[in-house]
Amino acid sequence: MESLSIGYGRPHQDGAVLDLFTGWAHRTPQAPALIDGEHTHSYAELDRLADTVAEALRGKVGEGDLVGVCLGHSVELVAVTLAIAKLGAVHLPLGPRPGEKRLQAVAEQLRPVCLVGEAAVLPSGGERLELDLPTGGVLAALTPGEQVSVPVGTYYAVLTSGSTGTPKAVAVTEPALGALLQWYRELTGLGPGERHSLLIGVSFDPHLLELWAALASGATLVVAPEDVRWDSGALTDWWREAGITTCLLPTPLAEPILARPWPAGLALRHLFIGGDRLRRAAGPEVTATVHNGYGPAEATVVTTVHTMAPGGDHGAGAPPIGLPIPGAVVLVSDEQGRPVPRGTAGELRIGGRGLAAGYLDPELTARRFVEVPPGVDGTDRVYRTGDRVVMRADGVLEFHGRLDDQVKVSGVRIEPAEVEAAFERDPRVRRAVVAAETAAAGGVRLLAFVQTEEDAEPASLLDAVRPWLPEQAVPSTVRLVEHYPLDANGKVDRAALLAAAPPAPVAAVEDGDTPVERTVLKLCRELIGRAELGPESNFLDSGGNSLAAARLLEALEGEYGVRLRAPLVLRQPDLRAIAKLVEERMPSAALS
């Protein structure tokens, strides 16, 4: 009989979350729990800070209440996360600078009971409490009105891009997170004396795995400096200096590290990679165990993993996404939801212990979390991922792309419809269509094709959507159009839009006065996808983002042997100034 594409993880172990942290706080109160720059905070200190915050909010925030957190990587973020758990409330991470319009949309859609952040970020009005935290200036803003219904037992909720034009909020329970933590600690050997990075952007759910995995195991959580999130060279230097033993990285930052010679002298034992398709395997000189993980927020961060042991021959192609973790159920289905034979491509559906409770929208939950077909055990429902995969004969899954319009930019899932809706909030915009294309230097970039009611500059249209969107969802280019090409079904033909997009004029564009200037211009034009860039163009204003900056730094180091730090580069007024930085650091002989 032909084997079907159904896979089961081994039996899982349940695990508490907060209780594991408080247990370490009582057993090893003076052990380092968090290192943030020059400041080290013990388990006992973090526990006291969390109790202080919880006490300030008690009676105003209770079990099942949504608390939106607008904080960056810091002791304040960790203390507030712990306090929310102590209150039995639901943690909703929004990032340190969610944008006024985006925060307003979240407040109106989900109506959280409380928002925590710096005064300048929080909306005005309502009751405010100043929280007693080390750096000061962190407030809790209590919001009136009744919040949206939250599934019983929800531990945290996280926003993902929504096709309706507003973000979707995924509700995850404590048993799902606890089972994930038990597996992750077993996989990595986290425990006292180990150091785990805190690096992933705090509006994305993997940062909760970083945070809780360390604090639930007695290990030390180490805050990554801002510049290492842009610069793979700075990142590996920081690994060495900070003695990091386990790190979780987004795929776009991990790939340059795997592409260059593996640094010597690292304490790193485990490198966990996820967020996008990994296109290269670990080389034989890599001394850490590398794990290629896959999983949507709707299945609690990680569903499958492929592990590459140090010194092995892992092949030259893209690694698979591997086998289901303990408690997970995976199946590859046809359009009717029936499992397909192994070796046949289909849609990946996920069930089991790590499955989220659903969205904070019952109708959307009913559409995406569906009943299992006959013959599938271990779960009563599955989440339709929209990802196209193949299950090999040995049960290992290979990722083959998306089935729908959703795309990944810099490792973040983006619904073009959400970006389009952000443009259409502008009264000058009649309609917007967003399409994705592969940039010349690799990666995916978004282009917006906009019809306007009146004359409008593309740059001003981009400025208007930035407050509504995460950085990765802001298109690199806006093109004004009078009409949209249609396909045979009467839908906008995005492929035709991209093919018909006129190349920007380059003949009249200045190419730079020096070889280094010309190289910087060439690289930035490829990375940002704008052939009209000139020496006086500003990198960020021209559509450059964190992924483009990281690739620019890598390319400049490969070309000239000069390593620049991202914050310094991004402060430069234009591309000519970036080239000058390179020239100042080059040996004089290389310039002649």
Side-chain angles (χ1 to χ4, degrees), residues 262-439:
W262 188 252
L266 298 181
L268 191 73
R269 297 189 301 104
H270 291 275
L271 175 59
F272 204 99
I273 301 171
D276 207 341
R277 183 192 303 195
L278 182 63
R279 290 171 171 80
R280 70 168 60 240
E285 77 284 359
V286 175
T287 56
T289 299
V290 178
H291 310 276
N292 183 34
Y294 163 89
E298 290 85 352
T300 318
V301 188
V302 181
T303 300
T304 68
V305 67
H306 174 70
T307 295
M308 293 168 273
D313 180 7
H314 305 294
I321 57 174
L323 295 166
I325 71 171
V329 178
V330 297
L331 65 126
V332 185
S333 69
D334 59 18
E335 293 181 357
Q336 286 71 44
R338 299 169 301 201
V340 299
R342 295 197 178 190
T344 303
E347 181 184 16
L348 178 59
R349 301 187 181 208
I350 298 170
R353 189 56 162 178
L355 198 62
Y359 298 108
L360 303 188
D361 178 341
E363 293 183 5
L364 182 59
T365 300
R367 291 199 300 271
R368 298 302 297 271
F369 291 79
V370 299
E371 292 183 358
V372 296
V376 178
D377 301 320
T379 188
D380 57 359
R381 62 193 185 116
V382 288
Y383 168 68
R384 298 187 60 180
T385 67
D387 287 330
R388 187 171 184 267
V389 300
V390 169
M391 182 178 286
R392 302 186 324 206
D394 58 2
V396 171
L397 289 169
E398 296 178 344
F399 183 82
H400 285 213
R402 292 290 303 171
L403 291 170
D404 55 19
D405 289 336
Q406 192 182 76
V407 296
K408 279 197 173 182
V409 181
S410 300
V412 177
R413 286 191 294 163
I414 303 295
E415 291 275 7
E418 181 180 1
V419 185
E420 292 163 358
F423 276 98
E424 290 164 2
R425 295 177 190 272
D426 191 322
R428 297 171 296 174
V429 173
R430 185 186 317 140
R431 186 179 181 187
V433 172
V434 173
E437 71 173 7
T438 301

Side-chain angles (χ1 to χ4, degrees), residues 23 25 35 54 101 114 123 130 156 208 293 342 348 396 434 548 563 575:
I35 298 175
K101 299 295 186 182
C114 178
E130 184 165 359
Y156 71 82
L208 293 167
R342 295 197 178 190
L348 178 59
V396 171
V434 173
R563 178 182 296 179
L575 303 185

